[in-house]
Amino acid sequence: MTPAPTPPGLVSILIVNWRTPVQTRLCLRSLRAFTRAPHEVIVVDNASSDGSREAIARDFAGVRLIESET
């Protein structure tokens, strides 16, 4: 999969998640509350089986979620 090009001036924030739903959700809430510059948030989930993916997709609609199978 080829990612879409990032517009000039846009900051990309990448978070890797593997079975850490509490920490990832806290991080995403902080980013939502305190980040002001134009940005995109990408979460890469490394095959979590603890509901992390579903919680991120449900509660953080503006986040791009990449779901790895391994």
Side-chain angles (χ1 to χ4, degrees):
M1 170 169 48
T2 304
T6 303
L10 181 70
V11 174
S12 297
I13 302 167
L14 178 64
I15 302 166
V16 178
N17 179 66
W18 183 66
R19 298 179 5 184
T20 55
V22 173
Q23 293 87 345
T24 300
R25 290 168 54 88
L26 286 171
C27 180
L28 291 170
R29 283 190 195 119
S30 290
L31 287 170
R32 184 188 295 165
F34 297 109
T35 305
R36 301 287 181 239
H39 67 281
E40 67 175 341
V41 179
I42 304 165
V43 175
V44 177
D45 181 81
N46 287 330
S48 296
S49 58
D50 61 355
S52 295
R53 297 177 190 202
E54 295 81 6
I56 292 166
R58 179 187 65 239
D59 297 337
F60 300 95
V63 170
R64 191 165 119 200
L65 179 59
I66 298 173
E67 298 177 79
S68 175
E69 296 303 318
T70 57

